[in-house]
Amino acid sequence: MTIAPDDARRDSSPQYRAMRDVVQSLDDTLPGKFEVTKEGIVHDMMSPGGPHEVTAAHVSRRLERVMPDELLAHNGTPDVEGEPEGIMRHPDVMVIAWEDLDVEGSIDPRTVHAAVEVVSRSNPENDWVGKMRDYALLGIPVYAIFDPRTGTGAVFTDIHATPDGPRYATRKDFVYGEGVTIGEWTIPTDGLPRYRDEESGQDPTSG
């Protein structure tokens, strides 16, 4: 994970800077993904490869087939970081312009057109609850979730103000096999892998 420049650090709280330093120190020594949220450090024990990574790769490639050349569906480093909000996240895929990716340190969330997450078997609430909250707080206009546990997903848009802060107002669900629209681009979802050794999970935000 990457660290923002020193001038950006001065605008963040000491508690957030401490958590970010811990995340950096753990990132290369322990498996999984570490992120900083309003609730503290989140550790997602995702395993490398398998349906999670294959889904992210498929989504990235399918988006890039229909997007203009100045944009890419990036699934590498660095992190997306909102210093004032005290949030540092690492989307599985983010739609961003090439010029906005070419920066030192973390990505400014205001330059991200869309964030995509593939639900983890180890911590599904991180994607369905925590990231849905945090990406709205960061001002990312589109958040798409693909859930290999159930073969379903959802796209969240239309950030609006609430007593608890910015939240997505619109949710559009989809089932694998349907086309899904992420921002201005529609991609197929057929052929995406499912988790084979997991009982069918439920979306914590449904019902």
Side-chain angles (χ1 to χ4, degrees), residues 37-69:
T37 79
K38 285 293 188 183
E39 298 173 345
I41 295 174
V42 173
H43 182 204
D44 189 352
M45 278 293 296
M46 61 181 183
S47 58
H52 184 281
E53 299 303 315
V54 171
T55 300
H58 273 302
V59 171
S60 175
R61 175 168 291 186
R62 293 175 189 188
L63 279 170
E64 291 194 339
R65 285 173 179 165
V66 296
M67 293 190 313
D69 290 341

Side-chain angles (χ1 to χ4, degrees), residues 51-121:
H52 184 281
E53 299 303 315
V54 171
T55 300
H58 273 302
V59 171
S60 175
R61 175 168 291 186
R62 293 175 189 188
L63 279 170
E64 291 194 339
R65 285 173 179 165
V66 296
M67 293 190 313
D69 290 341
E70 61 266 23
L71 297 177
L72 73 157
H74 183 63
N75 57 2
T77 57
D79 302 291
V80 174
E81 183 174 20
E83 289 270 348
E85 295 81 11
I87 296 171
M88 184 171 65
R89 288 293 198 173
H90 188 95
D92 290 321
V93 180
M94 62 175 139
V95 177
I96 189 170
W98 285 93
E99 62 181 358
D100 292 324
L101 182 65
D102 187 17
V103 296
E104 296 292 335
S106 300
I107 296 296
D108 183 342
R110 294 170 295 181
T111 66
V112 178
H113 295 262
V116 178
E117 295 290 353
V118 181
V119 173
S120 167
R121 285 180 291 189

Side-chain angles (χ1 to χ4, degrees), residues 1-204:
M1 288 190 174
T2 56
I3 297 300
D6 289 339
D7 57 346
R9 292 190 195 190
R10 289 193 289 269
D11 296 331
S12 59
S13 70
Q15 181 181 14
Y16 171 69
R17 292 197 302 271
M19 288 191 293
R20 186 174 54 185
D21 291 343
V22 168
V23 164
Q24 184 187 31
S25 67
L26 294 175
D27 189 53
D28 295 329
T29 59
L30 294 175
K33 179 168 62 176
F34 295 88
E35 299 171 298
V36 181
T37 79
K38 285 293 188 183
E39 298 173 345
I41 295 174
V42 173
H43 182 204
D44 189 352
M45 278 293 296
M46 61 181 183
S47 58
H52 184 281
E53 299 303 315
V54 171
T55 300
H58 273 302
V59 171
S60 175
R61 175 168 291 186
R62 293 175 189 188
L63 279 170
E64 291 194 339
R65 285 173 179 165
V66 296
M67 293 190 313
D69 290 341
E70 61 266 23
L71 297 177
L72 73 157
H74 183 63
N75 57 2
T77 57
D79 302 291
V80 174
E81 183 174 20
E83 289 270 348
E85 295 81 11
I87 296 171
M88 184 171 65
R89 288 293 198 173
H90 188 95
D92 290 321
V93 180
M94 62 175 139
V95 177
I96 189 170
W98 285 93
E99 62 181 358
D100 292 324
L101 182 65
D102 187 17
V103 296
E104 296 292 335
S106 300
I107 296 296
D108 183 342
R110 294 170 295 181
T111 66
V112 178
H113 295 262
V116 178
E117 295 290 353
V118 181
V119 173
S120 167
R121 285 180 291 189
S122 65
N123 190 5
E125 289 192 4
N126 184 37
D127 300 298
W128 278 111
V129 180
K131 290 186 178 181
M132 182 171 63
R133 175 201 62 223
D134 287 353
Y135 287 147
L137 288 171
L138 291 174
I140 296 175
V142 180
Y143 174 40
I145 303 177
F146 290 76
D147 196 336
R149 301 173 307 154
T150 59
T152 63
V155 180
F156 298 89
T157 56
D158 301 322
I159 297 173
H160 72 301
T162 77
D164 294 324
R167 295 291 187 271
Y168 292 109
T170 302
R171 168 176 172 162
K172 293 184 178 180
D173 293 278
F174 63 89
V175 176
Y176 282 17
E178 296 181 315
V180 57
T181 300
I182 301 173
E184 303 175 15
W185 311 283
T186 300
I187 62 171
T189 61
D190 55 291
L192 295 178
R194 299 275 303 274
Y195 294 138
R196 292 180 294 274
D197 58 347
E198 177 88 355
E199 294 183 1
S200 179
Q202 297 294 324
D203 169 4

